[in-house]
Each structure stands twice: as C-alpha cells, then as structure tokens.
Amino acid sequence: MADQFIEVDKLRDTLRESLGKDDKRQEDISRPDVLTRIESVIQTIVISVSEGEAPVLRVMNRSSWDNVRFHESVGLVQKTDVPVRTLRCDCPSSATRFALTLKLLSVIYKLVQSDSYATKRDIYYNDPQLFGSQTTLDSILDDISCMLKVPRRSLHVFATSKGFISGDLCYLEEDGTKVDCNSSSTAVPVSSNVNGIRNIVSAAKFILIVEKDATFQRLLDDAFCTRLSPCIIITGKGVPDVNSRLMVRKLWDTLHIPVFALVDADPYGIEIMCIYKYGSRSLAFEAHSLTVPSVLWLGLLPSDIQRYRVPEETLIPFSQADESKINSLRTRDYISCQPAWEREIEAMQRLKQKAEIQSLASIAPHFLTRVYLPNKLRYGGWI
C-alpha cells in the first residue's frame, strides 16, 4: 500500500510550489481598533440627533451577486463600490432593525471592552423576545461585521459549531485543552473558537470535506481514516457553518496538503463544495479567512454515474428547483473558469438526473470506502 498516495503526494508538491502572496488570512483587528470603530458609528448617530436629524445606519447589501466579484486566488470578494442599505430610526420598515443593530453594537462593545466572549445563542437567549429569532440576530451580526470591516471573530461573538472532524489531528484549544481527533469510530465537534487553536500536529496526506453527516458517519463506521491513514475528514453537515469553513482554512494554512470534496452529484452538492472553495455572497467580505480555492472535486462526479454503472433505480429526476439551481451555477465565473467542472455540470443537466453518494451502496455495501474513494485517491481521479 506504499504507493496508494503517490498521486496525492505529487498534488501536494504542486500545490506547495504554487503558494503565492494572495494565499493569506485576513488580519485580526485589535480590541482598541474595534472599540474605536463602534464609537465612530455611535458618534455619527449622536451628531445627527444633536442637529435635529433622524439618525441612520448604513449597511452593505450582502445578498446580491452584483455586489461581489470573482478573484481566482481568493474566491468571491466584495466589490469596493457596494451600494448600501439605509436603516432609518424614523422609518417603520427599518426602525426595528435600526434598534436591534444598536442593541447588538452595545453588547459587542461590552464584550470587546471586557475581553470576554459570548456565543450567538447566549446573546439571543438573554432576550429572545427582543430579537424574535436566532436568524435575525445572525444576520444583524454579519451586517455589523461588514459595516465595521471587522472579521466576526474580532467581535468576541462565537457561533456554536455544527460540524465534526476526525482523523490524524491533534491541537490545543485557546484555553489549553488538548484535542485528539484520532479515534477511528467517533468524531470531535469542530471548535467554536477556531482562531484560538494552536499547536496543530498532523501527518495527514489529505483532507476530505464530506457534504453530509450520513456519509461522514458511514466513513467512520467503515474505519476510513484507518484504512487510508493518515488523513483528516470533516463535515459541515450540509451547508457549512462559519466554524467548519474556518477549520478547513486553518488546516490548509497550517498543513498545505490537498483538500478534496465529496458531495452528492446534484446542483446543491456542487454549490456546497463551492462555498468551501470560493465562499458565499453574504460573507464575501471575509473571503480571505473562509475560502480554500485549492479544493478539488473528488466525487461524486456526474460522469461517475455511468462510469461505475450506478443502478438507474437509484437516480433521482431533476426537480424544477434543481433546474433553477444548475442554471444559476452555470452563470457563475468560478464555474466557467474550470472547463472540467463545466463539462460535468453540462452532463448532469443533459441527463436531468442526480445521484446521492449513498447510491454507490447499491453497487456493493462497502463500495464507497473500499473501492471508490481508494481508487480515486490512488489514480488521481479528482478535478
């Protein structure tokens, strides 16, 4: 089995040779700087009130594709001339959002000033009736991060992680707790403070991002990390949370080893892979901290459906939502710049069928872990 990683090792060497100056993390902002930026916002409001004007807050529009551009070595980044939304305290449609933004700015200021931390859920459950929903709080927090041009980790507000990680990896949490991910049958929750992780130790040959928790659990059950040791597997359990994305980026920055993605052969699986690789519209202002443009598509490729003769009865016809999503994907610059990806997406759209990773089990119960993935890694079956 000594030759099972020859192609992976060649890829690793190529990736390390191509590391450039654009491959960098967004710098943390100092506590005094964060406080100064918040004070500047409040000062503007106070001046407006003193002059008898209704105060306003200006936040970036983070929901439009028109406000981001594609940078090949970074991913989706925010344009410099992004139009802003105005939150007015005297306008019924925005007064509530205005007040909640000020409330959250106050909470953040106290946290940064006292050098203490809170989770988003902590803040929400301190006054659930005020915010109405966790989603509202999350959105306002991202607006504030974008408005202040401060990465969210510098606001001293953490998110509870939903992702899991396993494999050849040990590290220390910021509080000194040692975390060992080397169990063959269980996984470790992704840290809620990825930025505080230090002393990362790993001999892993590659990192495998797994789209779905069910597939991740299957890899654990089949002792995948032992069979293809040394490696690291991680899942964000569907659309990844920020901590899962931060963790993949942290491992890439530290280890500089190949990062592969294992997703369903459907439009939504491809989009999830693209979030890890190139980022998202809503968090484009933090692209340098969250994206890993070197991510490669290992499977399930649409061409694999015919190559491995996946039984017809396990394939799923396209829905209208699938058709809409794939049309959207094909218009994006980060797809059109990758001919191999574009061909796979065209093939999927032509067939108007999709396949889940679990469909490989219809070929043989352990086909995914004992045939499909080992062969892909041995023979360089990624794009």
Side-chain angles (χ1 to χ4, degrees):
M1 297 296 285
D3 60 346
Q4 67 177 334
F5 292 126
I6 289 176
E7 293 301 321
V8 173
D9 286 343
K10 286 180 185 175
L11 174 61
R12 177 202 61 204
D13 294 340
T14 301
L15 291 171
R16 289 179 178 178
E17 286 171 6
S18 65
L19 288 175
K21 61 183 179 181
D22 287 319
D23 195 53
K24 61 185 179 182
R25 289 178 65 87
Q26 184 178 13
E27 293 297 320
D28 284 339
I29 310 297
S30 69
R31 285 171 53 220
D33 196 1
V34 175
L35 294 176
T36 299
R37 296 184 192 200
I38 295 174
E39 288 164 1
S40 178
V41 172
I42 301 304
Q43 185 179 35
T44 302
I45 290 173
V46 171
I47 291 171
S48 295
V49 172
S50 69
E51 294 176 349
E53 299 175 357
V56 300
L57 289 169
R58 291 179 174 83
V59 297
M60 301 286 189
N61 181 353
R62 298 181 294 107
S63 60
S64 172
W65 283 105
D66 293 334
N67 298 334
V68 297
R69 62 184 177 83
F70 173 59
H71 190 297
E72 195 165 349
S73 64
V74 180
L76 294 175
V77 297
Q78 195 172 59
K79 291 180 179 176
T80 53
D81 55 346
V82 175
V84 297
R85 291 184 295 118
T86 301
L87 302 180
R88 300 184 60 89
C89 71
D90 61 347
C91 177
S93 64
S94 63
T96 300
R97 186 89 173 189
F98 177 93
L100 292 178
T101 303
L102 282 186
K103 170 64 177 175
L104 195 49
L105 275 169
S106 171
V107 171
I108 291 167
Y109 191 91
K110 291 172 183 173
L111 288 170
V112 175
Q113 189 178 46
S114 62
D115 198 17
S116 52
Y117 295 83
T119 67
K120 293 191 296 185
R121 290 186 69 80
D122 289 337
I123 297 171
Y124 172 70
Y125 281 109
N126 277 337
D127 200 339
Q129 289 187 328
L130 176 67
F131 289 102
S133 73
Q134 182 74 59
T135 304
T136 298
L137 187 149
D138 294 353
S139 175
I140 293 172
L141 182 63
D142 288 338
D143 280 345
I144 289 172
S145 179
C146 187
M147 176 174 64
L148 298 178
K149 293 182 170 56
V150 171
R152 200 166 68 182
R153 60 186 179 275
S154 296
L155 299 179
H156 284 227
V157 180
F158 294 144
T160 303
S161 297
K162 69 170 185 169
F164 284 89
I165 189 165
S166 185
D168 191 305
L169 176 67
C170 294
Y171 58 84
L172 293 180
E173 292 275 14
E174 189 171 40
D175 63 4
T177 303
K178 183 178 180 181
V179 178
D180 187 347
C181 305
N182 275 288
S183 171
S184 62
S185 58
T186 58
V188 173
V190 170
S191 173
S192 292
N193 181 13
V194 175
N195 195 52
I197 288 175
R198 52 197 167 88
N199 293 13
I200 292 175
V201 178
S202 174
K205 294 283 191 177
F206 64 90
I207 299 161
L208 180 64
I209 298 167
V210 183
E211 176 192 351
K212 296 195 296 193
D213 186 45
T215 306
F216 184 83
Q217 292 300 325
R218 181 58 187 263
L219 296 185
L220 288 179
D221 292 343
D222 284 1
F224 176 82
C225 290
T226 301
R227 290 176 180 278
L228 273 84
S229 178
C231 67
I232 297 169
I233 61 173
I234 184 170
T235 181
K237 298 169 75 174
V239 177
D241 59 331
V242 169
N243 288 327
S244 296
R245 293 170 61 189
L246 281 170
M247 191 69 180
V248 174
R249 176 67 198 223
K250 181 95 172 183
L251 293 173
W252 162 249
D253 284 337
T254 306
L255 305 175
H256 292 305
I257 56 176
V259 183
F260 301 114
L262 178 65
V263 300
D264 287 340
D266 70 17
Y268 290 91
I270 295 169
E271 179 156 69
I272 285 169
M273 174 173 57
C274 290
I275 291 173
Y276 284 104
K277 185 176 176 73
Y278 293 129
S280 60
R281 283 174 301 175
S282 62
L283 294 178
F285 61 95
E286 282 204 65
H288 279 282
S289 300
L290 293 172
T291 64
V292 183
S294 61
V295 168
L296 291 161
W297 189 359
L298 188 65
L300 181 65
L301 302 180
S303 58
D304 289 338
I305 295 172
Q306 293 180 321
R307 185 178 296 115
Y308 290 95
R309 298 180 182 177
V310 177
E312 184 75 25
E313 61 270 20
T314 65
L315 304 183
I316 305 167
F318 258 27
S319 65
Q320 190 171 354
D322 291 322
E323 191 67 46
S324 237
K325 178 60 68 177
I326 204 166
N327 285 332
S328 171
L329 284 169
R330 293 192 64 183
T331 65
R332 300 181 195 176
D333 291 341
Y334 57 62
I335 296 295
S336 58
C337 76
Q338 297 183 94
W341 283 35
E342 206 167 26
R343 285 193 296 272
E344 291 290 338
I345 291 171
E346 286 171 358
M348 184 194 300
Q349 191 168 31
R350 217 168 31 247
L351 290 170
K352 293 193 181 300
Q353 288 181 314
K354 57 187 181 179
E356 296 183 334
I357 298 163
Q358 290 92 321
S359 65
L360 294 176
S362 63
I363 300 173
H366 299 284
F367 188 80
L368 172 66
T369 54
R370 300 185 187 180
V371 179
Y372 183 77
L373 290 176
N375 283 344
K376 282 268 185 175
L377 293 163
R378 179 187 287 264
Y379 299 112
W382 51 76
I383 57 173

